[in-house]
Amino acid sequence: MFKRMIFPIVIGVLGCAILIWLGTWQLQRLVWKEGVLAEIRAEIGADPVPLPEAIDPSMKYLPVVATGEIDEGELHVLVSRKQIGAGYLIIAPMTLDDGRRVLLDRGFVRDMEKDAQRPKGEVTVVGNLHWPDDMNSSTPAPDVGRNIWFGRDIPAMAEALDTEPVLIVARDSTGVGIEPMPVGIEGIPNDHLEYAITWFSLCLVWLGMTLFLLWRIRARTD
């Protein structure tokens, strides 16, 4: 009987060991990811600095302060918010005091307020530089006729509004009726705990199946 049990025992122990290792690895990844998110959170919330003259993608999340004028013309990015529904992010051109023109994400308005008149003119904006990951191969092209975009495509928006391909996402209100949607870590996935639970659960199932098989072998032998 024992000889017939050797192979199931080996497979059972080996399978449990692999699944426990995978679960443990995911817990280690969880600790690493939480550290990364803590660093990003601290970077997002740091004191703002004047907008640098030279900007590159390594400055993603950099808190900045910029003074200038919100110009005419804006682009509307279709989004949906939980418990609120459909609405639009308002992307406007902003001419800074030094003459540079950049993109400004002013925040969210509800669907019925898409074409409402919004305050423009001189403003000091505190926000964060951002290169959002809104675009992928399945994102539709913008409906230029209705001024509806389906993601923040920074190069295309900069071309449409004649600005640098630089986006500042406002932290605070830039006008009545616009709800700021500051940069945060909510969109950064962190599923390592769920993965770890999955692997440990599979280990329990594997162990249960192994014990059941051993019980069947013993029952047939008796």
Side-chain angles (χ1 to χ4, degrees), residues 81-116:
R81 297 182 62 189
K82 291 182 179 179
Q83 301 178 345
I84 294 179
Y88 295 89
L89 295 177
I90 304 301
I91 310 298
M94 181 177 178
T95 301
L96 307 182
D97 287 347
D98 61 5
R100 298 165 62 189
R101 282 171 59 85
V102 298
L103 298 168
L104 175 63
D105 184 336
R106 303 184 66 178
F108 176 84
V109 299
R110 295 175 184 264
D111 180 59
M112 67 287 294
E113 299 168 351
K114 171 179 177 292
D115 297 314

Short mmCIF file of all heavy atoms in Angstrom, two decimals, residues 81-116:
data_model
loop_
_atom_site.label_atom_id
_atom_site.label_comp_id
_atom_site.label_asym_id
_atom_site.label_seq_id
_atom_site.Cartn_x
_atom_site.Cartn_y
_atom_site.Cartn_z
N ARG A 81 -17.90 58.35 -13.83
CA ARG A 81 -17.52 58.29 -12.41
C ARG A 81 -18.58 57.51 -11.64
O ARG A 81 -19.78 57.64 -11.89
CB ARG A 81 -17.39 59.70 -11.84
CG ARG A 81 -16.29 60.51 -12.49
CD ARG A 81 -16.16 61.88 -11.86
NE ARG A 81 -15.80 61.77 -10.45
CZ ARG A 81 -15.78 62.81 -9.61
NH1 ARG A 81 -16.11 64.02 -10.06
NH2 ARG A 81 -15.44 62.64 -8.36
N LYS A 82 -18.11 56.71 -10.69
CA LYS A 82 -19.01 55.92 -9.87
C LYS A 82 -19.97 56.83 -9.12
O LYS A 82 -19.58 57.86 -8.59
CB LYS A 82 -18.22 55.06 -8.88
CG LYS A 82 -17.42 53.93 -9.52
CD LYS A 82 -16.71 53.12 -8.46
CE LYS A 82 -15.93 51.97 -9.10
NZ LYS A 82 -15.20 51.16 -8.09
N GLN A 83 -21.24 56.43 -9.09
CA GLN A 83 -22.31 57.13 -8.38
C GLN A 83 -22.61 58.51 -8.96
O GLN A 83 -23.44 59.24 -8.42
CB GLN A 83 -21.99 57.25 -6.88
CG GLN A 83 -21.80 55.90 -6.21
CD GLN A 83 -21.44 56.03 -4.75
OE1 GLN A 83 -21.06 57.10 -4.28
NE2 GLN A 83 -21.58 54.94 -4.00
N ILE A 84 -21.96 58.88 -10.06
CA ILE A 84 -22.23 60.16 -10.70
C ILE A 84 -22.67 59.94 -12.14
O ILE A 84 -23.65 60.51 -12.60
CB ILE A 84 -20.99 61.08 -10.65
CG1 ILE A 84 -20.68 61.47 -9.20
CG2 ILE A 84 -21.21 62.34 -11.50
CD1 ILE A 84 -19.47 62.35 -9.05
N GLY A 85 -21.95 59.08 -12.85
CA GLY A 85 -22.30 58.81 -14.24
C GLY A 85 -21.36 59.50 -15.20
O GLY A 85 -20.23 59.86 -14.87
N ALA A 86 -21.86 59.69 -16.41
CA ALA A 86 -21.02 60.23 -17.48
C ALA A 86 -20.75 61.71 -17.28
O ALA A 86 -21.56 62.46 -16.71
CB ALA A 86 -21.69 60.00 -18.83
N GLY A 87 -19.59 62.12 -17.75
CA GLY A 87 -19.22 63.52 -17.70
C GLY A 87 -17.97 63.71 -18.54
O GLY A 87 -17.58 62.83 -19.32
N TYR A 88 -17.33 64.87 -18.36
CA TYR A 88 -16.18 65.20 -19.20
C TYR A 88 -15.07 65.84 -18.37
O TYR A 88 -15.34 66.63 -17.45
CB TYR A 88 -16.58 66.17 -20.32
CG TYR A 88 -17.56 65.57 -21.29
CD1 TYR A 88 -18.93 65.66 -21.08
CD2 TYR A 88 -17.12 64.88 -22.43
CE1 TYR A 88 -19.84 65.09 -21.97
CE2 TYR A 88 -18.01 64.32 -23.32
CZ TYR A 88 -19.37 64.42 -23.08
OH TYR A 88 -20.27 63.86 -23.96
N LEU A 89 -13.84 65.48 -18.71
CA LEU A 89 -12.69 66.23 -18.25
C LEU A 89 -12.47 67.40 -19.20
O LEU A 89 -12.55 67.24 -20.42
CB LEU A 89 -11.44 65.35 -18.21
CG LEU A 89 -11.44 64.18 -17.22
CD1 LEU A 89 -10.16 63.37 -17.37
CD2 LEU A 89 -11.59 64.68 -15.80
N ILE A 90 -12.21 68.55 -18.64
CA ILE A 90 -12.02 69.76 -19.44
C ILE A 90 -10.52 70.02 -19.60
O ILE A 90 -9.81 70.29 -18.62
CB ILE A 90 -12.70 70.97 -18.78
CG1 ILE A 90 -14.18 70.68 -18.54
CG2 ILE A 90 -12.50 72.22 -19.63
CD1 ILE A 90 -14.96 70.36 -19.79
N ILE A 91 -10.04 69.90 -20.83
CA ILE A 91 -8.64 70.16 -21.14
C ILE A 91 -8.56 71.49 -21.88
O ILE A 91 -9.13 71.63 -22.97
CB ILE A 91 -8.05 69.03 -22.01
CG1 ILE A 91 -8.35 67.66 -21.41
CG2 ILE A 91 -6.54 69.26 -22.17
CD1 ILE A 91 -7.76 67.41 -20.04
N ALA A 92 -7.86 72.44 -21.29
CA ALA A 92 -7.79 73.79 -21.86
C ALA A 92 -6.35 74.19 -22.11
O ALA A 92 -5.43 73.71 -21.45
CB ALA A 92 -8.46 74.79 -20.91
N PRO A 93 -6.13 75.11 -23.07
CA PRO A 93 -4.79 75.66 -23.27
C PRO A 93 -4.52 76.75 -22.24
O PRO A 93 -5.40 77.53 -21.89
CB PRO A 93 -4.85 76.23 -24.69
CG PRO A 93 -6.29 76.61 -24.86
CD PRO A 93 -7.09 75.63 -24.06
N MET A 94 -3.29 76.80 -21.75
CA MET A 94 -2.91 77.81 -20.77
C MET A 94 -1.61 78.46 -21.23
O MET A 94 -0.61 77.78 -21.44
CB MET A 94 -2.73 77.19 -19.39
CG MET A 94 -2.35 78.17 -18.30
SD MET A 94 -2.25 77.36 -16.67
CE MET A 94 -1.74 78.74 -15.66
N THR A 95 -1.64 79.79 -21.38
CA THR A 95 -0.45 80.55 -21.73
C THR A 95 0.20 81.06 -20.46
O THR A 95 -0.41 81.83 -19.70
CB THR A 95 -0.78 81.72 -22.66
OG1 THR A 95 -1.40 81.23 -23.86
CG2 THR A 95 0.48 82.49 -23.03
N LEU A 96 1.41 80.62 -20.19
CA LEU A 96 2.10 81.00 -18.97
C LEU A 96 2.68 82.39 -19.08
O LEU A 96 2.79 82.97 -20.17
CB LEU A 96 3.20 79.98 -18.67
CG LEU A 96 2.77 78.51 -18.64
CD1 LEU A 96 3.95 77.62 -18.29
CD2 LEU A 96 1.63 78.30 -17.64
N ASP A 97 3.09 82.94 -17.95
CA ASP A 97 3.63 84.29 -17.94
C ASP A 97 4.88 84.42 -18.79
O ASP A 97 5.20 85.51 -19.27
CB ASP A 97 3.94 84.71 -16.49
CG ASP A 97 2.68 85.00 -15.70
OD1 ASP A 97 1.60 85.12 -16.32
OD2 ASP A 97 2.76 85.10 -14.45
N ASP A 98 5.61 83.31 -18.97
CA ASP A 98 6.83 83.38 -19.79
C ASP A 98 6.55 83.12 -21.27
O ASP A 98 7.47 83.03 -22.08
CB ASP A 98 7.87 82.38 -19.28
CG ASP A 98 7.38 80.93 -19.33
OD1 ASP A 98 6.27 80.68 -19.85
OD2 ASP A 98 8.10 80.04 -18.85
N GLY A 99 5.26 83.01 -21.64
CA GLY A 99 4.89 82.84 -23.03
C GLY A 99 4.69 81.40 -23.47
O GLY A 99 4.17 81.16 -24.57
N ARG A 100 5.07 80.45 -22.67
CA ARG A 100 4.87 79.04 -23.03
C ARG A 100 3.38 78.69 -22.96
O ARG A 100 2.64 79.25 -22.16
CB ARG A 100 5.66 78.14 -22.09
CG ARG A 100 7.14 78.36 -22.14
CD ARG A 100 7.85 77.72 -20.96
NE ARG A 100 7.66 76.27 -20.94
CZ ARG A 100 8.04 75.51 -19.90
NH1 ARG A 100 8.57 76.05 -18.83
NH2 ARG A 100 7.86 74.21 -19.97
N ARG A 101 3.00 77.73 -23.79
CA ARG A 101 1.62 77.26 -23.78
C ARG A 101 1.62 75.77 -23.44
O ARG A 101 2.31 74.97 -24.08
CB ARG A 101 0.94 77.49 -25.13
CG ARG A 101 0.50 78.92 -25.35
CD ARG A 101 0.03 79.16 -26.78
NE ARG A 101 -1.07 78.30 -27.16
CZ ARG A 101 -2.36 78.57 -26.91
NH1 ARG A 101 -2.69 79.65 -26.24
NH2 ARG A 101 -3.31 77.74 -27.35
N VAL A 102 0.81 75.42 -22.43
CA VAL A 102 0.72 74.02 -21.99
C VAL A 102 -0.74 73.63 -21.89
O VAL A 102 -1.65 74.48 -21.98
CB VAL A 102 1.43 73.82 -20.63
CG1 VAL A 102 2.90 74.15 -20.72
CG2 VAL A 102 0.74 74.64 -19.53
N LEU A 103 -0.97 72.33 -21.69
CA LEU A 103 -2.32 71.83 -21.49
C LEU A 103 -2.66 71.85 -20.00
O LEU A 103 -1.81 71.53 -19.16
CB LEU A 103 -2.44 70.39 -22.01
CG LEU A 103 -2.20 70.18 -23.51
CD1 LEU A 103 -2.07 68.69 -23.81
CD2 LEU A 103 -3.34 70.78 -24.32
N LEU A 104 -3.90 72.17 -19.70
CA LEU A 104 -4.38 72.19 -18.32
C LEU A 104 -5.62 71.32 -18.19
O LEU A 104 -6.62 71.55 -18.86
CB LEU A 104 -4.71 73.61 -17.88
CG LEU A 104 -5.34 73.76 -16.48
CD1 LEU A 104 -4.37 73.28 -15.40
CD2 LEU A 104 -5.77 75.21 -16.24
N ASP A 105 -5.53 70.29 -17.36
CA ASP A 105 -6.70 69.47 -17.02
C ASP A 105 -7.40 70.16 -15.86
O ASP A 105 -6.96 70.08 -14.72
CB ASP A 105 -6.25 68.05 -16.65
CG ASP A 105 -7.43 67.12 -16.37
OD1 ASP A 105 -8.53 67.61 -16.03
OD2 ASP A 105 -7.25 65.89 -16.48
N ARG A 106 -8.50 70.86 -16.17
CA ARG A 106 -9.18 71.65 -15.16
C ARG A 106 -10.04 70.81 -14.23
O ARG A 106 -10.35 71.24 -13.12
CB ARG A 106 -10.05 72.72 -15.83
CG ARG A 106 -9.27 73.64 -16.75
CD ARG A 106 -10.14 74.75 -17.33
NE ARG A 106 -10.58 75.68 -16.29
CZ ARG A 106 -11.33 76.76 -16.54
NH1 ARG A 106 -11.71 77.03 -17.79
NH2 ARG A 106 -11.69 77.55 -15.55
N GLY A 107 -10.46 69.62 -14.69
CA GLY A 107 -11.28 68.77 -13.85
C GLY A 107 -12.53 68.30 -14.56
O GLY A 107 -12.61 68.30 -15.80
N PHE A 108 -13.52 67.92 -13.77
CA PHE A 108 -14.71 67.20 -14.24
C PHE A 108 -15.94 68.09 -14.24
O PHE A 108 -16.17 68.87 -13.30
CB PHE A 108 -14.94 65.99 -13.32
CG PHE A 108 -16.17 65.19 -13.61
CD1 PHE A 108 -16.17 64.20 -14.59
CD2 PHE A 108 -17.34 65.42 -12.90
CE1 PHE A 108 -17.30 63.45 -14.85
CE2 PHE A 108 -18.48 64.67 -13.16
CZ PHE A 108 -18.46 63.69 -14.13
N VAL A 109 -16.74 67.93 -15.31
CA VAL A 109 -18.08 68.52 -15.33
C VAL A 109 -19.07 67.44 -15.74
O VAL A 109 -18.71 66.48 -16.42
CB VAL A 109 -18.18 69.71 -16.32
CG1 VAL A 109 -17.23 70.82 -15.92
CG2 VAL A 109 -17.93 69.27 -17.75
N ARG A 110 -20.30 67.58 -15.30
CA ARG A 110 -21.33 66.60 -15.65
C ARG A 110 -21.72 66.72 -17.11
O ARG A 110 -21.46 67.74 -17.76
CB ARG A 110 -22.54 66.76 -14.74
CG ARG A 110 -22.22 66.45 -13.27
CD ARG A 110 -23.40 66.75 -12.36
NE ARG A 110 -23.06 66.54 -10.97
CZ ARG A 110 -23.31 65.42 -10.29
NH1 ARG A 110 -23.91 64.41 -10.90
NH2 ARG A 110 -22.97 65.32 -9.01
N ASP A 111 -22.36 65.69 -17.59
CA ASP A 111 -22.68 65.58 -19.00
C ASP A 111 -23.43 66.80 -19.53
O ASP A 111 -23.10 67.32 -20.60
CB ASP A 111 -23.49 64.29 -19.23
CG ASP A 111 -23.86 64.11 -20.70
OD1 ASP A 111 -22.94 64.03 -21.53
OD2 ASP A 111 -25.06 64.06 -21.01
N MET A 112 -24.42 67.27 -18.78
CA MET A 112 -25.23 68.38 -19.28
C MET A 112 -24.49 69.73 -19.27
O MET A 112 -24.97 70.71 -19.83
CB MET A 112 -26.53 68.50 -18.46
CG MET A 112 -26.36 68.93 -17.01
SD MET A 112 -25.66 67.60 -15.95
CE MET A 112 -27.00 66.42 -16.00
N GLU A 113 -23.31 69.76 -18.64
CA GLU A 113 -22.55 71.01 -18.55
C GLU A 113 -21.38 71.06 -19.54
O GLU A 113 -20.54 71.94 -19.47
CB GLU A 113 -22.02 71.18 -17.12
CG GLU A 113 -23.13 71.26 -16.08
CD GLU A 113 -22.59 71.13 -14.66
OE1 GLU A 113 -21.40 70.80 -14.51
OE2 GLU A 113 -23.37 71.34 -13.73
N LYS A 114 -21.39 70.10 -20.47
CA LYS A 114 -20.28 69.99 -21.43
C LYS A 114 -20.02 71.30 -22.16
O LYS A 114 -18.87 71.74 -22.29
CB LYS A 114 -20.58 68.87 -22.42
CG LYS A 114 -19.62 68.77 -23.61
CD LYS A 114 -20.00 67.61 -24.51
CE LYS A 114 -19.13 67.51 -25.75
NZ LYS A 114 -19.34 68.63 -26.67
N ASP A 115 -21.04 71.93 -22.67
CA ASP A 115 -20.87 73.12 -23.52
C ASP A 115 -21.16 74.42 -22.78
O ASP A 115 -21.34 75.46 -23.41
CB ASP A 115 -21.77 73.00 -24.75
CG ASP A 115 -21.39 71.81 -25.62
OD1 ASP A 115 -20.19 71.63 -25.87
OD2 ASP A 115 -22.31 71.06 -26.04
N ALA A 116 -21.18 74.36 -21.45
CA ALA A 116 -21.43 75.58 -20.67
C ALA A 116 -20.22 76.51 -20.75
O ALA A 116 -19.09 76.08 -20.99
CB ALA A 116 -21.73 75.21 -19.22
#
